[in-house]
Amino acid sequence: MADAIRILVTLAEHADPRLVEQALEGDSSIEVLGYADYFDDWHEFLEQPAELVIVACSADDTSATHMVDRAVKHRPDRPVVVMTESSPNGFLRQAFEAGADDVITLPQPPSEVAFTLQKVIARRKGLSMPGRASASLIAVLGPKGGTGKTLVATNLAVALAQRDANVVLVDLDLQFGDIGLALGLSPERTMYDLMKAGPPFDHEKLDRHLVRHSSGIKVLIAPTRPDQASAVSIEFLRDIYASLRTMCDAVIVDTPPGFTPEVIATIDVSTEICMVGMLDSLSLKNTKLGLETLDLMGYDTEHVSLVLNRADSRVGITPDDVSTIISRSPDVAVPSDREIPRSINEGTPIVAARPSSGAAKAFRALADRYAPAPAPKPAPLPSSSTGVRALIGRRR
Ligand SMILES: Nc1ncnc2c1ncn2[C@@H]1O[C@H](COP(=O)(O)OP(=O)(O)OP(=O)(O)O)[C@@H](O)[C@H]1O
Ligand SMILES: [Mg+2]
């Protein structure tokens, strides 16, 4: 058993011990050092020299996130994996927010479980950066096609890079991703190549698959063919998001229209959402539906920014109408600008290509929500001959 992973298993109130046991016993690469339930003396239990802690629970266990939190705080360098029978979206997000490294949905054969645990440990070994907080992950959403999601994602990424943030932009529009095109990048390496390379997704491997744009942002380009797109799994996405978040300051994800399974998985691990709507009644209705869906998923609306694109279009809808239709006012309004299609053709987002335009200002205002603008440079001090003494002298 030299290579067995030594684990501790904590059981929340509604966890099914039989299912948990079935998932863990019988594979020589897992060694369970002990089981404890919610009421046991956790401190002593967690002191044991295990490499990983499992929090087993059902989706109804409200204590599960607290248990994850405790296990993480007890030894932040030791990974924690949640094991659950079902995984509603809100629950997954909470588990990850509490610091879980992964979630295993039961039932699963011990060999699969062992593989996931090995992966988690390998990922930690390759990636852990003590003391470094995870970067924010901003998902750019829009329930309707063509509202300006890609425009917002690319400009937000560049606006943050202009503030010296280290930004990775992910094109999750797996079928029709056009970030490469919008940024004038050739798809030499794509998300599909990264997936084929396989885990562990350490910094070095990720970096090799990112394409650098002249603005400084790094891009994970979408697969180039539809058959490649269907090969991208949720599990893979979760892995790369977790890794990317330890190697940069912000991960921005451009999404396809609607709530596809990949988009839902991204929402689950995101720290912020940027919802993009346009000034026409159909788009506004869909934006409202999108906001309601996030609400149903238990997403905290405080972390949802609303961007109204083409906000100055003269289509007979007033700002008051907008607030009435979607029950909130937009946080940022992006005007229509003929320079936008031009900047896309040039491969340079408008925030860099035309920094003084109204659209660029709007994107900087959006970036303010995630990273404060740099303080203005102090005025140069007067030289000694015309310095403070001279000023004092003049005032006398
Ligand atoms: N504010 C604007 N002013 C001028 N043109 C715009 C504006 N917003 C978007 N466009 C144009 O609309 C097109 C669609 O925008 P974009 O690709 O960002 O939408 P999308 O939501 O990502 O679409 P899809 O759902 O197909 O991915 C762009 O090519 C751009 O030229
Ligand atoms: Mg798009």
Side-chain angles (χ1 to χ4, degrees):
M1 269 231 189
D3 291 323
I5 305 170
R6 284 164 300 145
I7 64 170
L8 293 171
V9 184
T10 61
L11 295 157
E13 203 180 341
H14 303 292
D16 180 342
R18 198 181 36 86
L19 268 186
V20 174
E21 214 177 8
Q22 275 170 7
L24 293 171
E25 305 282 336
D27 190 293
S28 60
S29 53
I30 301 176
E31 185 186 352
V32 182
L33 295 189
Y35 288 90
D37 76 18
Y38 192 57
F39 305 102
D40 288 336
D41 178 354
W42 271 47
H43 188 80
E44 199 182 325
F45 180 73
L46 291 173
E47 281 295 296
Q48 297 178 75
E51 290 148 272
L52 186 145
V53 175
I54 287 199
V55 172
C57 57
S58 90
D60 308 325
D61 275 310
T62 47
S63 57
T65 47
H66 172 66
M67 292 168 78
V68 172
D69 185 58
R70 257 189 89 175
V72 169
K73 290 206 172 110
H74 192 91
R75 253 188 63 185
D77 61 317
R78 183 166 60 186
V80 176
V81 171
V82 170
M83 214 173 226
T84 175
E85 274 170 70
S86 56
S87 54
N89 296 315
F91 176 75
L92 271 188
R93 183 168 62 83
Q94 281 166 15
F96 282 113
E97 269 175 9
D101 288 70
D102 217 325
V103 174
I104 293 172
T105 312
L106 297 180
Q108 264 201 49
S111 57
E112 293 273 320
V113 173
F115 178 66
T116 304
L117 302 187
Q118 273 155 359
K119 217 169 45 177
V120 166
I121 288 174
R123 204 157 66 202
R124 277 290 189 113
K125 280 189 182 144
L127 299 167
S128 73
M129 299 176 71
R132 168 133 193 207
S134 261
S136 35
L137 189 147
I138 306 167
V140 181
L141 309 183
K144 195 170 174 285
T147 51
K149 297 178 290 300
T150 301
L151 176 78
V152 171
T154 47
N155 277 282
L156 175 60
V158 173
L160 290 173
Q162 287 173 337
R163 292 171 190 192
D164 290 333
N166 191 349
V167 182
V168 174
L169 176 60
V170 177
D171 193 349
L172 191 69
D173 193 343
L174 301 177
Q175 301 270 358
F176 301 108
D178 46 15
I179 290 226
L181 212 59
L183 294 177
L185 301 171
S186 69
E188 297 143 21
R189 298 171 297 281
T190 71
M191 189 186 282
Y192 181 72
D193 299 318
L194 177 61
M195 207 192 71
K196 292 271 282 184
F201 299 109
D202 52 60
H203 291 181
E204 198 267 325
K205 189 180 285 176
L206 280 168
D207 211 48
R208 253 188 295 128
H209 287 85
L210 300 175
V211 181
R212 189 179 279 271
H213 182 253
S214 56
S215 61
I217 65 169
K218 292 177 185 170
V219 185
L220 185 56
I221 294 191
T224 47
R225 292 203 324 257
D227 57 309
Q228 296 176 343
S230 54
V232 173
S233 69
I234 304 278
E235 180 85 338
F236 162 76
L237 289 174
R238 278 220 306 257
D239 280 356
I240 56 161
Y241 287 149
S243 307
L244 287 173
R245 290 182 66 192
T246 61
M247 66 181 275
C248 65
D249 302 312
V251 179
I252 297 180
V253 184
D254 183 27
T255 65
F259 287 85
T260 63
E262 299 81 36
V263 172
I264 292 173
T266 305
I267 293 171
D268 277 333
V269 296
S270 69
T271 56
E272 302 282 339
I273 281 177
C274 188
M275 178 71 83
V276 185
M278 251 183 1
L279 199 56
D280 67 71
S281 48
L282 279 185
S283 172
L284 290 176
K285 187 209 84 187
N286 287 317
T287 305
K288 182 179 165 65
L289 268 177
L291 292 171
E292 283 170 1
T293 309
L294 290 178
D295 199 32
L296 286 173
M297 286 169 73
Y299 208 93
D300 185 351
T301 45
E302 249 189 49
H303 294 279
V304 180
S305 301
L306 181 59
V307 174
L308 191 63
N309 188 22
R310 293 179 175 271
D312 56 344
S313 304
R314 296 184 201 290
V315 288
I317 299 179
T318 67
D320 280 349
D321 294 337
V322 172
S323 306
T324 311
I325 297 173
I326 50 183
S327 315
R328 73 178 267 186
S329 30
D331 299 296
V332 174
V334 181
S336 287
D337 189 331
R338 265 181 303 173
E339 293 295 328
I340 284 181
R342 195 193 304 252
S343 70
I344 294 172
N345 291 338
E346 287 168 1
T348 307
I350 193 159
V351 75
R354 314 278 185 277
S356 57
S357 63
K361 283 181 192 144
F363 290 123
R364 284 196 295 273
L366 181 61
D368 286 344
R369 299 177 68 80
Y370 308 114
K377 287 202 181 96
L381 284 172
S383 68
S384 56
S385 57
T386 57
V388 178
R389 276 167 201 283
L391 289 175
I392 294 170
R394 271 213 304 266
R395 284 186 186 179
R396 276 204 184 120

